[in-house]
Amino acid sequence: MELKYEFYINAGLEEVWSALISPDGTRSSFFGSELRSNFQPGQPFAYVGPGNDGQETVHVYGQILEFEPLSTLSYLEHPGPSYHANHEELQSRVSFQLETVGECTKLTLINDQFTENHPSFANAQQSWWMILSSIKSWVETGKTLQFGW
């Protein structure tokens, strides 16, 4: 199973990269969560924000696979402990790639290597459209999309 999305954003690599890793960028697009990591391959990361367990809910966590500024962010992820009792057994890989196309940035997201019968696959299929649309909107306009949650 593989999910693949390509978005063209009317901004430079720096702005799109910031939306993927900075606290303001991730809060604006990843359901109010901050991406916390030292971004070293092999090291942990977590998206932490408001949710089931209060303000410090771990929504997704895992291990950084690749981090190349302005180009690539890839990680193995697990759903947070409050989502599934067997969260440690559930895994997928997420890879963001950035490249310059004319005066735009092409953002490619691939979410693959899902554990068999991963219960979050259908949710990911829907959520990535919202997250990527939010990134595009935030980078281009400075405004976030309000999904009414």
Side-chain angles (χ1 to χ4, degrees):
M1 296 187 294
E2 175 184 279
L3 302 173
K4 182 177 181 180
Y5 307 87
E6 295 177 323
F7 270 64
Y8 291 85
I9 301 172
N10 191 24
L13 292 172
E14 295 82 4
E15 292 88 354
V16 179
W17 186 252
S18 177
L20 293 177
I21 66 163
S22 75
D24 284 345
T26 59
R27 274 194 307 268
S28 74
S29 304
F30 290 84
F31 309 108
S33 297
E34 291 183 8
L35 174 55
R36 298 182 182 170
S37 179
N38 68 7
F39 299 110
Q40 298 300 310
Q43 293 297 302
F45 80 91
Y47 284 95
V48 180
N52 298 342
D53 300 328
Q55 293 300 309
E56 292 289 303
T57 298
V58 175
H59 294 281
V60 174
Y61 71 96
Q63 179 182 19
I64 300 290
L65 294 174
E66 188 177 354
F67 183 84
E68 189 173 322
L70 306 179
S71 172
T72 305
L73 170 62
S74 182
Y75 50 76
L76 288 177
E77 67 170 9
H78 307 276
S82 68
Y83 292 98
H84 301 285
N86 64 336
H87 59 92
E88 293 172 335
E89 300 167 14
L90 303 172
Q91 180 172 286
S92 71
R93 180 178 64 176
V94 173
S95 300
F96 295 96
Q97 294 280 143
L98 300 183
E99 62 183 280
T100 299
V101 177
E103 295 181 11
C104 301
T105 297
K106 179 182 178 185
L107 168 58
T108 302
L109 167 79
I110 298 173
N111 191 184
D112 62 2
Q113 296 184 9
F114 282 87
T115 306
E116 190 173 343
N117 298 317
H118 196 306
S120 299
F121 180 78
N123 187 47
Q125 219 170 357
Q126 177 182 339
S127 297
W128 281 126
W129 286 113
M130 300 166 100
I131 290 168
L132 295 166
S133 296
S134 291
I135 290 170
K136 180 173 171 58
S137 179
W138 188 73
V139 170
E140 291 180 348
T141 71
K143 297 178 183 169
T144 58
L145 297 177
Q146 302 302 320
F147 293 113
W149 298 316

Tab-separated table of all heavy atoms in Angstrom, residues 74-102:
chain	number	residue	atom	x	y	z
A	74	SER	N	12.374	12.154	5.961
A	74	SER	CA	11.778	10.826	5.916
A	74	SER	C	11.841	10.213	7.314
A	74	SER	O	12.831	10.389	8.033
A	74	SER	CB	12.543	9.953	4.918
A	74	SER	OG	11.968	8.668	4.826
A	75	TYR	N	10.771	9.514	7.689
A	75	TYR	CA	10.753	8.881	9.001
A	75	TYR	C	9.849	7.650	9.010
A	75	TYR	O	8.965	7.499	8.175
A	75	TYR	CB	10.313	9.859	10.092
A	75	TYR	CG	9.040	10.636	9.833
A	75	TYR	CD1	7.782	10.056	9.957
A	75	TYR	CD2	9.097	11.996	9.488
A	75	TYR	CE1	6.620	10.792	9.746
A	75	TYR	CE2	7.945	12.736	9.274
A	75	TYR	CZ	6.708	12.125	9.414
A	75	TYR	OH	5.550	12.861	9.195
A	76	LEU	N	10.118	6.758	9.973
A	76	LEU	CA	9.224	5.652	10.284
A	76	LEU	C	8.321	6.135	11.401
A	76	LEU	O	8.804	6.692	12.389
A	76	LEU	CB	10.002	4.421	10.748
A	76	LEU	CG	10.795	3.678	9.685
A	76	LEU	CD1	11.569	2.520	10.326
A	76	LEU	CD2	9.884	3.150	8.582
A	77	GLU	N	7.016	5.920	11.260
A	77	GLU	CA	6.089	6.455	12.255
A	77	GLU	C	5.183	5.376	12.835
A	77	GLU	O	4.899	4.368	12.193
A	77	GLU	CB	5.229	7.561	11.654
A	77	GLU	CG	4.268	7.077	10.592
A	77	GLU	CD	3.258	8.137	10.170
A	77	GLU	OE1	3.380	9.309	10.568
A	77	GLU	OE2	2.327	7.777	9.430
A	78	HIS	N	4.751	5.654	14.058
A	78	HIS	CA	3.756	4.846	14.765
A	78	HIS	C	2.659	5.796	15.230
A	78	HIS	O	2.950	6.954	15.575
A	78	HIS	CB	4.358	4.183	16.009
A	78	HIS	CG	5.594	3.398	15.759
A	78	HIS	ND1	5.572	2.088	15.327
A	78	HIS	CD2	6.906	3.724	15.872
A	78	HIS	CE1	6.812	1.651	15.207
A	78	HIS	NE2	7.639	2.629	15.519
A	79	PRO	N	1.397	5.325	15.296
A	79	PRO	CA	0.359	6.168	15.885
A	79	PRO	C	0.627	6.341	17.380
A	79	PRO	O	1.218	5.459	18.014
A	79	PRO	CB	-0.933	5.379	15.637
A	79	PRO	CG	-0.514	3.976	15.390
A	79	PRO	CD	0.884	4.030	14.857
A	80	GLY	N	0.207	7.464	17.937
A	80	GLY	CA	0.406	7.713	19.357
A	80	GLY	C	-0.277	6.686	20.242
A	80	GLY	O	-1.245	6.041	19.822
A	81	PRO	N	0.219	6.532	21.473
A	81	PRO	CA	-0.312	5.530	22.404
A	81	PRO	C	-1.812	5.652	22.679
A	81	PRO	O	-2.459	4.647	22.954
A	81	PRO	CB	0.487	5.774	23.684
A	81	PRO	CG	1.738	6.436	23.237
A	81	PRO	CD	1.376	7.235	22.026
A	82	SER	N	-2.372	6.854	22.590
A	82	SER	CA	-3.799	6.999	22.901
A	82	SER	C	-4.701	6.550	21.751
A	82	SER	O	-5.915	6.474	21.919
A	82	SER	CB	-4.120	8.446	23.286
A	82	SER	OG	-3.973	9.293	22.177
A	83	TYR	N	-4.120	6.227	20.603
A	83	TYR	CA	-4.926	5.821	19.446
A	83	TYR	C	-5.136	4.315	19.373
A	83	TYR	O	-6.212	3.843	19.025
A	83	TYR	CB	-4.301	6.320	18.144
A	83	TYR	CG	-4.364	7.819	18.008
A	83	TYR	CD1	-3.274	8.611	18.339
A	83	TYR	CD2	-5.532	8.437	17.582
A	83	TYR	CE1	-3.342	9.998	18.228
A	83	TYR	CE2	-5.606	9.815	17.469
A	83	TYR	CZ	-4.508	10.592	17.799
A	83	TYR	OH	-4.577	11.947	17.699
A	84	HIS	N	-4.082	3.550	19.608
A	84	HIS	CA	-4.165	2.092	19.484
A	84	HIS	C	-3.309	1.441	20.569
A	84	HIS	O	-2.152	1.832	20.750
A	84	HIS	CB	-3.676	1.620	18.109
A	84	HIS	CG	-4.448	2.205	16.973
A	84	HIS	ND1	-5.714	1.786	16.633
A	84	HIS	CD2	-4.139	3.201	16.107
A	84	HIS	CE1	-6.157	2.494	15.609
A	84	HIS	NE2	-5.215	3.358	15.271
A	85	ALA	N	-3.859	0.447	21.246
A	85	ALA	CA	-3.115	-0.253	22.296
A	85	ALA	C	-1.835	-0.878	21.740
A	85	ALA	O	-0.808	-0.919	22.417
A	85	ALA	CB	-3.994	-1.318	22.943
A	86	ASN	N	-1.879	-1.342	20.494
A	86	ASN	CA	-0.709	-1.985	19.871
A	86	ASN	C	0.077	-1.001	18.995
A	86	ASN	O	0.676	-1.392	17.990
A	86	ASN	CB	-1.145	-3.195	19.057
A	86	ASN	CG	-2.030	-2.825	17.874
A	86	ASN	OD1	-2.677	-1.783	17.869
A	86	ASN	ND2	-2.058	-3.686	16.871
A	87	HIS	N	0.120	0.265	19.396
A	87	HIS	CA	0.760	1.318	18.586
A	87	HIS	C	2.189	0.980	18.194
A	87	HIS	O	2.630	1.339	17.103
A	87	HIS	CB	0.691	2.674	19.306
A	87	HIS	CG	1.346	2.683	20.651
A	87	HIS	ND1	2.650	3.044	20.822
A	87	HIS	CD2	0.871	2.363	21.876
A	87	HIS	CE1	2.960	2.962	22.105
A	87	HIS	NE2	1.883	2.544	22.774
A	88	GLU	N	2.928	0.296	19.053
A	88	GLU	CA	4.326	-0.015	18.743
A	88	GLU	C	4.454	-0.988	17.573
A	88	GLU	O	5.470	-0.999	16.889
A	88	GLU	CB	5.030	-0.580	19.974
A	88	GLU	CG	5.176	0.436	21.083
A	88	GLU	CD	5.705	-0.168	22.370
A	88	GLU	OE1	5.530	-1.391	22.580
A	88	GLU	OE2	6.291	0.584	23.161
A	89	GLU	N	3.418	-1.789	17.350
A	89	GLU	CA	3.434	-2.781	16.266
A	89	GLU	C	3.010	-2.180	14.932
A	89	GLU	O	3.244	-2.772	13.886
A	89	GLU	CB	2.485	-3.940	16.599
A	89	GLU	CG	2.822	-4.672	17.866
A	89	GLU	CD	1.696	-5.590	18.316
A	89	GLU	OE1	0.779	-5.858	17.509
A	89	GLU	OE2	1.733	-6.027	19.475
A	90	LEU	N	2.350	-1.033	14.969
A	90	LEU	CA	1.818	-0.393	13.760
A	90	LEU	C	2.836	0.608	13.236
A	90	LEU	O	3.307	1.469	13.977
A	90	LEU	CB	0.502	0.319	14.085
A	90	LEU	CG	-0.589	-0.573	14.678
A	90	LEU	CD1	-1.757	0.276	15.130
A	90	LEU	CD2	-1.018	-1.633	13.681
A	91	GLN	N	3.167	0.502	11.955
A	91	GLN	CA	4.222	1.353	11.413
A	91	GLN	C	3.971	1.671	9.947
A	91	GLN	O	3.365	0.892	9.223
A	91	GLN	CB	5.553	0.620	11.559
A	91	GLN	CG	6.757	1.372	11.038
A	91	GLN	CD	8.034	0.647	11.394
A	91	GLN	OE1	8.460	0.663	12.537
A	91	GLN	NE2	8.642	0.001	10.410
A	92	SER	N	4.438	2.835	9.529
A	92	SER	CA	4.525	3.174	8.112
A	92	SER	C	5.695	4.130	7.932
A	92	SER	O	6.248	4.645	8.903
A	92	SER	CB	3.221	3.792	7.589
A	92	SER	OG	3.020	5.093	8.099
A	93	ARG	N	6.067	4.331	6.676
A	93	ARG	CA	7.148	5.268	6.358
A	93	ARG	C	6.538	6.491	5.685
A	93	ARG	O	5.646	6.381	4.854
A	93	ARG	CB	8.165	4.612	5.415
A	93	ARG	CG	9.330	5.546	5.045
A	93	ARG	CD	10.332	4.865	4.159
A	93	ARG	NE	9.741	4.512	2.873
A	93	ARG	CZ	10.414	3.963	1.872
A	93	ARG	NH1	11.693	3.658	2.000
A	93	ARG	NH2	9.807	3.691	0.733
A	94	VAL	N	7.042	7.661	6.061
A	94	VAL	CA	6.625	8.921	5.448
A	94	VAL	C	7.864	9.603	4.880
A	94	VAL	O	8.885	9.707	5.564
A	94	VAL	CB	5.947	9.845	6.493
A	94	VAL	CG1	5.660	11.221	5.901
A	94	VAL	CG2	4.676	9.209	7.021
A	95	SER	N	7.764	10.058	3.626
A	95	SER	CA	8.880	10.770	2.987
A	95	SER	C	8.354	12.018	2.305
A	95	SER	O	7.453	11.947	1.470
A	95	SER	CB	9.566	9.887	1.943
A	95	SER	OG	10.086	8.719	2.544
A	96	PHE	N	8.920	13.162	2.689
A	96	PHE	CA	8.657	14.438	2.025
A	96	PHE	C	9.860	14.770	1.163
A	96	PHE	O	10.998	14.681	1.618
A	96	PHE	CB	8.498	15.577	3.047
A	96	PHE	CG	7.315	15.452	3.961
A	96	PHE	CD1	7.457	14.898	5.220
A	96	PHE	CD2	6.072	15.920	3.568
A	96	PHE	CE1	6.374	14.808	6.081
A	96	PHE	CE2	4.985	15.830	4.421
A	96	PHE	CZ	5.130	15.270	5.679
A	97	GLN	N	9.605	15.152	-0.091
A	97	GLN	CA	10.672	15.576	-1.010
A	97	GLN	C	10.311	16.954	-1.545
A	97	GLN	O	9.157	17.170	-1.953
A	97	GLN	CB	10.792	14.617	-2.190
A	97	GLN	CG	11.251	13.241	-1.844
A	97	GLN	CD	12.752	13.158	-1.663
A	97	GLN	OE1	13.205	12.447	-0.810
A	97	GLN	NE2	13.518	13.879	-2.436
A	98	LEU	N	11.276	17.852	-1.579
A	98	LEU	CA	11.078	19.183	-2.148
A	98	LEU	C	11.991	19.353	-3.351
A	98	LEU	O	13.140	18.915	-3.332
A	98	LEU	CB	11.421	20.279	-1.133
A	98	LEU	CG	10.648	20.317	0.177
A	98	LEU	CD1	11.097	21.523	0.989
A	98	LEU	CD2	9.163	20.345	-0.067
A	99	GLU	N	11.465	19.991	-4.383
A	99	GLU	CA	12.313	20.366	-5.520
A	99	GLU	C	11.773	21.641	-6.146
A	99	GLU	O	10.570	21.900	-6.121
A	99	GLU	CB	12.417	19.233	-6.543
A	99	GLU	CG	11.120	18.829	-7.182
A	99	GLU	CD	11.290	17.654	-8.139
A	99	GLU	OE1	11.729	17.875	-9.285
A	99	GLU	OE2	10.960	16.523	-7.740
A	100	THR	N	12.679	22.417	-6.687
A	100	THR	CA	12.301	23.662	-7.344
A	100	THR	C	11.794	23.365	-8.746
A	100	THR	O	12.426	22.615	-9.497
A	100	THR	CB	13.506	24.622	-7.422
A	100	THR	OG1	13.928	24.902	-6.084
A	100	THR	CG2	13.155	25.916	-8.126
A	101	VAL	N	10.640	23.950	-9.077
A	101	VAL	CA	10.078	23.856	-10.426
A	101	VAL	C	9.736	25.284	-10.835
A	101	VAL	O	8.777	25.869	-10.327
A	101	VAL	CB	8.813	22.959	-10.458
A	101	VAL	CG1	8.219	22.945	-11.856
A	101	VAL	CG2	9.149	21.542	-9.995
A	102	GLY	N	10.554	25.857	-11.701
A	102	GLY	CA	10.364	27.257	-12.068
A	102	GLY	C	10.490	28.130	-10.832
A	102	GLY	O	11.505	28.066	-10.125
